[in-house]
Amino acid sequence: MSPTACKDIIMRGSIRHHAAAAVMGAVAFLSAATADAKSLDFDVTAYTDNQTLHPSFYCEQTGGSSTTLSYPYKASGIEFMGTTESGTCDVSTYLEPHSAFNFHAMAGSTSAREVSYQINLYNDEIEGTQITQQAAQFFTYGNASYVLNYGITDLPMPFNDTAYLYIGNDQSDWMAELTGSSGYADITFGDLVLPAAHDAGMFQISDSNAATSNLKGVCGTNVPAEFNFLCQEAEYGATALQNASLTQKDVIYDQLRIGTRYFDIRPGYPIGDAKANDTNTTHIHNFIPGAPLAGMLDDVSRFLGEHTGEIVVLRIQSNGIDHGYYQFISSTDLTAALDRHIAAGIGYRLVDDLSTLSGQSLKSIVGAGKRVIVVYGAEKSATNPTGIPDINDSYDDNDYQASIHSPTAVNGDVATTLQACSGGGAQYTLLQLQDTASGALLPFYTQTQYTPLILDASEVIGNSDFGNILQGTKPWFDAVNYPWLQSSAALASLVACHMPVVIQNDFVDVALTSHAIGLSKYRHDN
């Protein structure tokens, strides 16, 4: 997404508009309370990979009644993989302004884990743990360890709000368990389907002051004339920046515990600094500085020290960095950072072409003592003849910004890209399952009939601790893309593909991991 696209979405509405909306909401609620119930619909997506625990949503409704949407385990026909399901949950009230909306990991009729929210129907706001704190939960039930991923998002009209709840077995050692299981000691790197984190370092904004200053600079120089008033009215703040740019909620160590083994990292440092170092180098999303590179590498080293049968792939690239504010880390500075932060006993290797590892067994790669595999730099092109070999990547700017709600265009690109994998010619295949929702909002800003949406989007994204537009689209896209990975067409394409395959998502989760494990085994077996 371009810096201008990002900037256009994160403009906060003025305090005047926010106050007016609150007053109008109060009047509407009080006038309707004696006649009609007030309600809010949530589109929900659920997943479990085991028969012990399943997701359940409790939705409180008018008159003390409630609806519970439960999603017990359904076998997919492929080992390790469950079935992704979805529905709509209505939360409503008659006289009281609050109603409960709770998430449960259920063991039969017993709640083994609960996350509780209150929906304030007085102003349509969510009350509870905000998005930046909706981190993965790791817990034990009975004699087994589990992971719970969840999210709840406030979306602008006319869309329903969304929520998701995924439950899975602990997959911290899935590679070691795979190579240690009967029939898979010889599984190769080329058989693997790797679960991946898109913009892996955007689980925090490391310098809000710099991000705000950069945004003001963009507003002053690159904004089309019709958006100038938004820049003038905007109250630049951390909430708006987070809602438009955060693509993960978990630190790298926890992303690894979830099972993620491929990380999209885009390290940069400020223009004017002589070189990259541990103090100035962070993941960069457009003009917004994310997590420090040093901390991310420390997490990788720590995790691999604790889990000796695992490997990690780091894709270090400059795509998406606004070079008006940040410069991409050089290979020399990157190597120095790896030397400082990756323990010698773990080791790393810089490779230009992942396909050179395809024929090697996973066990032999682990045993070689260089368990961090780093792919650095841009792909080869007419303007970059010395770049790395081509990556068969599903991403397309237009299609990934085509819709907030419909995954059709993205799913079509994913399917076409996987089908093309059998033709070879690339080092690996990258299937990006996430939406570029912030870019998909842009058409609404240029069409006058969507003026109410513009105002509501400014309010939600600018002011709501639950307004991350990127997380908001995740349940819709997961509900289509995860089941598609189990389809006969996808399975046939995976078997015909003779290179590593990466499945990448925002807000990485245990469903992504269990699909990757199941599909890796399927490719090996077929």
Side-chain angles (χ1 to χ4, degrees):
M1 180 179 59
S2 70
T4 302
C6 183
K7 169 273 310 159
D8 288 339
I9 304 307
I10 62 182
M11 302 306 163
R12 300 179 68 182
S14 68
I15 292 177
R16 292 192 306 276
H17 174 67
H18 185 61
V23 171
M24 291 172 65
V27 171
F29 182 85
L30 292 172
S31 62
T34 57
D36 302 300
K38 186 168 173 60
S39 66
L40 197 64
D41 287 336
F42 285 86
D43 290 341
V44 303
T45 301
Y47 178 88
T48 183
D49 66 4
N50 65 91
Q51 298 186 50
T52 303
L53 299 177
H54 69 268
S56 180
F57 298 90
Y58 170 85
C59 314
E60 188 177 9
Q61 294 168 339
T62 304
S65 64
S66 64
T67 295
T68 298
L69 300 182
S70 288
Y71 298 94
Y73 173 76
K74 288 184 181 178
S76 66
I78 303 173
E79 189 179 2
F80 275 94
M81 295 162 63
T83 302
T84 306
E85 299 183 88
S86 57
T88 300
C89 198
D90 172 64
V91 179
S92 62
T93 187
Y94 185 60
L95 293 174
E96 296 298 322
H98 288 85
S99 284
F101 182 43
N102 302 334
F103 303 53
H104 294 271
M106 299 295 295
S109 59
T110 301
S111 178
R113 204 77 174 179
E114 178 180 358
V115 181
S116 300
Y117 285 92
Q118 288 287 313
I119 309 304
N120 186 339
L121 294 163
Y122 178 87
N123 55 15
D124 288 346
E125 289 188 358
I126 302 165
E127 297 175 2
T129 305
Q130 60 186 263
I131 284 178
T132 54
Q133 298 169 343
Q134 293 171 15
Q137 297 189 12
F138 305 90
F139 64 100
T140 300
Y141 184 79
N143 296 319
S145 297
Y146 297 95
V147 182
L148 182 151
N149 302 107
Y150 73 100
I152 179 171
T153 309
D154 181 12
L155 286 171
M157 64 178 190
F159 307 105
N160 286 351
D161 291 346
T162 61
Y164 67 92
L165 178 59
Y166 305 157
I167 303 165
N169 290 293
D170 175 19
Q171 303 294 359
S172 296
D173 292 292
W174 70 264
M175 289 181 163
E177 290 170 1
L178 185 59
T179 57
S181 60
S182 177
Y184 295 95
D186 64 340
I187 193 167
T188 66
F189 187 78
D191 289 330
L192 294 179
V193 175
L194 295 173
H198 173 243
D199 268 311
M202 287 308 300
F203 52 85
Q204 70 174 89
I205 295 176
S206 58
D207 189 341
S208 292
N209 290 333
T212 300
S213 175
N214 294 343
L215 174 59
K216 288 180 177 179
V218 169
C219 281
T221 57
N222 297 329
V223 183
E226 61 268 29
F227 297 136
N228 279 339
F229 78 96
L230 287 172
C231 285
Q232 295 300 319
E233 293 291 331
E235 304 161 51
Y236 308 104
T239 300
L241 291 165
Q242 288 172 355
N243 284 339
S245 65
L246 294 188
T247 57
Q248 305 295 336
K249 294 177 290 190
D250 298 289
V251 298
I252 297 297
Y253 182 79
D254 284 345
Q255 291 182 40
L256 284 157
R257 293 175 71 194
I258 292 166
T260 311
R261 294 294 179 268
Y262 174 109
F263 296 87
D264 163 27
I265 299 178
R266 310 175 186 205
Y269 60 102
I271 292 291
D273 287 7
K275 60 183 297 185
N277 56 52
D278 286 351
T279 302
N280 68 359
T281 306
T282 65
H283 186 110
I284 303 296
H285 185 167
N286 289 305
F287 49 82
I288 301 172
L293 177 63
M296 292 190 282
L297 295 178
D298 285 340
D299 274 2
V300 170
S301 189
R302 174 190 168 196
F303 179 86
L304 292 179
E306 296 168 352
H307 302 271
T308 57
E310 308 299 298
I311 64 171
V312 167
V313 177
L314 304 181
R315 173 68 178 110
I316 308 296
Q317 61 174 320
S318 62
N319 288 350
I321 295 177
D322 187 332
H323 296 288
Y325 296 92
Y326 295 96
Q327 49 194 321
F328 180 50
I329 192 171
S330 69
S331 59
T332 300
D333 289 346
L334 174 64
T335 300
L338 290 164
D339 287 338
R340 288 193 299 271
H341 296 284
I342 302 299
I346 292 165
Y348 69 89
R349 65 176 87 181
L350 285 160
V351 300
D352 289 335
D353 188 346
L354 277 185
S355 68
T356 59
L357 303 176
S358 286
Q360 298 182 34
S361 71
L362 178 55
K363 229 173 192 178
S364 69
I365 295 173
V366 171
K370 294 183 177 180
R371 293 191 287 131
V372 180
I373 300 165
V374 184
V375 182
Y376 170 86
E379 294 169 64
K380 189 177 296 184
S381 66
T383 56
N384 184 34
T386 60
I388 63 174
D390 182 53
I391 298 166
N392 181 33
D393 187 346
S394 67
Y395 187 81
D396 176 271
D397 269 331
N398 292 328
D399 289 346
Y400 276 71
Q401 298 181 42
S403 176
I404 296 171
H405 181 267
S406 172
T408 301
V410 169
N411 185 253
D413 286 341
V414 169
T416 301
T417 301
L418 184 56
Q419 211 169 26
C421 179
S422 61
Q427 58 168 304
Y428 65 96
T429 288
L430 174 61
L431 305 179
Q432 302 202 41
L433 307 182
Q434 78 284 341
D435 185 32
T436 307
S438 45
L441 269 179
L442 286 180
F444 293 101
Y445 282 78
T446 59
Q447 300 177 45
T448 56
Q449 66 265 37
Y450 289 114
T451 298
L453 174 61
I454 298 172
L455 296 175
D456 193 45
S458 296
E459 282 298 313
V460 170
I461 297 170
N463 294 292
S464 174
D465 289 330
F466 299 87
N468 186 301
I469 189 71
L470 305 171
Q471 178 177 277
T473 64
K474 176 179 172 64
W476 293 323
F477 281 68
D478 288 355
V480 171
N481 288 326
Y482 284 167
W484 179 86
L485 289 170
Q486 303 175 11
S487 69
S488 57
L491 295 174
S493 294
L494 278 166
V495 171
C497 178
H498 301 293
M499 64 179 74
V501 174
V502 174
I503 52 174
Q504 178 174 279
N505 210 348
D506 286 342
F507 308 102
V508 290
D509 57 74
V510 72
L512 184 72
T513 301
S514 67
H515 278 78
I517 299 169
L519 295 174
S520 296
K521 296 187 75 171
Y522 187 89
R523 294 182 78 196
H524 175 271
D525 294 345
N526 292 276

